[in-house]
Amino acid sequence: MTDDEVALEAVRCLHEAWLAAELRGDIEAVLALCTSDVRWLPPDSGMLLGREAGRRVLTDTRAALDSIVATDLHVEIRGGLGYKTSRYEARYRLPAQRALHVARGTHLWILRREGADWRVALVTWQVER
């Protein structure tokens, strides 16, 4: 494998680890995949900085995820930086509700290599309305 192929595979594994942690509701595992200075750009919000801000974003969601499906995954790597885009469909339930809700949209990560590992340095997403 070339260095680029190794990096692409590492980012794909990072993506899968993130989705698995989200489905488990494991916020700490999601945050461990981020840089310490990660930036969050949630829809209809200003920029938030750091893992603690991410913890608030992820905790404030209050939804129980049933499933997340990512499609159209695209990764580009150049040196120690990269980005990942995808479309998503998340099925979730809100507290005290039995109804299943569906959210669809697009997702962007900016990635940074830290030593041998890749980490998420910026997270943003758009929800289809």
Side-chain angles (χ1 to χ4, degrees):
M1 283 177 113
T2 68
D3 288 346
D4 285 346
E5 290 170 331
V6 170
L8 289 172
E9 183 60 26
V11 171
R12 286 188 190 99
C13 289
L14 173 66
H15 174 78
E16 293 300 320
W18 182 294
L19 293 179
E22 270 198 303
L23 282 170
R24 289 191 314 271
D26 190 346
I27 292 170
E28 296 308 312
V30 169
L31 296 173
L33 300 172
C34 298
T35 61
S36 62
D37 62 345
V38 60
R39 295 176 185 272
W40 301 82
L41 290 167
D44 305 319
S45 179
M47 186 179 319
L48 306 170
L49 179 62
R51 289 182 179 147
E52 188 56 40
R55 185 177 287 107
R56 288 190 303 274
V57 167
L58 296 171
T59 302
D60 287 349
T61 304
R62 297 190 190 122
L65 288 173
D66 279 14
S67 66
I68 306 171
V69 176
T71 58
D72 300 329
L73 182 67
H74 180 78
V75 178
E76 291 281 336
I77 300 290
R78 294 290 180 264
L81 294 174
Y83 72 87
K84 181 215 57 122
T85 60
S86 66
R87 300 190 56 69
Y88 70 86
E89 179 178 284
R91 295 178 181 271
Y92 63 95
R93 297 177 198 280
L94 297 173
Q97 291 185 7
R98 297 188 63 152
L100 185 64
H101 300 271
V102 178
R104 293 179 184 91
T106 55
H107 193 93
L108 166 71
W109 287 351
I110 304 294
L111 302 141
R112 186 168 66 220
R113 187 185 327 231
E114 293 186 337
D117 297 321
W118 284 91
R119 299 269 185 252
V120 178
L122 181 139
V123 182
T124 189
W125 61 101
Q126 298 285 328
V127 180
E128 291 177 3
R129 303 207 192 272

